[in-house]
Amino acid sequence: IFIVFKKNTSSTTSLLVKGKAGGSGSDYKRYHIAVNSGDIFSNEIDDDSIYKAVESKRDFDGNFKIVFTERNGSFLNNHIDGPLADSLNIGSDYGSIDETSSTDLYLGKPSYKNSNYFKGEMSEIIMFKNSLSTYERQQIFSYLAKKWNLTSIIDSDSDGFTDAVEQ
């Protein structure tokens, strides 16, 4: 999942949620992407009442960011502005989100309460069913950086140089 956004609050804000939390059974599997009040980007996956999350600290308030978060095999990965920010091994048998489940997909709000609504601007969301190769991920970061005029902050190929420097 790629998300281009700017957060305009110091409060916790939800970007995308699929599924439910706080119970057990097939409907209680959840994927939650948020930025909390401490500017920590979180990719969380629930499997019944247990959850695991990979969290990445960055300055999100008032700044456009391109984030890519994925479940790739047994890892949850966060990429922020190109490079890998953090990764967590959750095990190959831990949780999954069934795209055919009857649970809704929420943009800008959590599925479980009427607070933490997204405050800011979401410019674009791109979702893929399958994991991307490194090359594919880099190409999409580059495309989004050019499209949204963010090449001065994005390092699509994670080589330590922003895309603007490499053009």
Side-chain angles (χ1 to χ4, degrees), residues 5-15 34-41 56-67 80-81 117-121 153:
F5 73 98
K6 177 170 69 170
K7 178 183 170 207
N8 292 336
T9 181
S10 59
S11 301
T12 296
T13 190
S14 291
L15 296 165
V35 180
N36 76 18
S37 58
D39 270 352
I40 296 175
F41 177 73
S56 307
K57 174 97 170 122
R58 294 294 187 278
D59 178 16
F60 285 96
D61 291 341
N63 300 302
F64 269 100
K65 296 287 185 187
I66 301 175
V67 297
I80 301 174
D81 294 339
Y117 290 100
F118 179 73
K119 293 180 180 84
E121 299 174 44
I153 64 165

Side-chain angles (χ1 to χ4, degrees), residues 26-133:
S26 61
D27 280 346
Y28 288 93
K29 295 180 182 293
R30 181 178 66 124
Y31 192 78
H32 185 201
I33 301 170
V35 180
N36 76 18
S37 58
D39 270 352
I40 296 175
F41 177 73
S42 175
N43 170 2
E44 179 181 299
I45 189 168
D46 294 6
D47 191 347
D48 290 336
S49 59
I50 302 167
Y51 79 93
K52 295 185 180 182
V54 59
E55 299 178 328
S56 307
K57 174 97 170 122
R58 294 294 187 278
D59 178 16
F60 285 96
D61 291 341
N63 300 302
F64 269 100
K65 296 287 185 187
I66 301 175
V67 297
F68 171 67
T69 185
E70 67 173 343
R71 164 116 187 234
N72 191 337
S74 59
F75 289 89
L76 288 178
N77 299 316
N78 287 345
H79 294 259
I80 301 174
D81 294 339
L84 179 66
D86 289 286
S87 185
L88 176 69
N89 186 339
I90 62 170
S92 60
D93 61 344
Y94 183 83
S96 66
I97 297 298
D98 179 1
E99 292 85 11
T100 64
S101 75
S102 60
T103 60
D104 293 325
L105 174 70
Y106 296 91
L107 296 176
K109 83 175 266 326
S111 60
Y112 53 93
K113 61 183 173 180
N114 289 322
S115 63
N116 297 345
Y117 290 100
F118 179 73
K119 293 180 180 84
E121 299 174 44
M122 266 194 248
S123 300
E124 187 161 350
I125 298 171
I126 303 174
M127 298 175 73
F128 295 91
K129 186 173 182 171
N130 299 318
S131 296
L132 300 178
S133 70

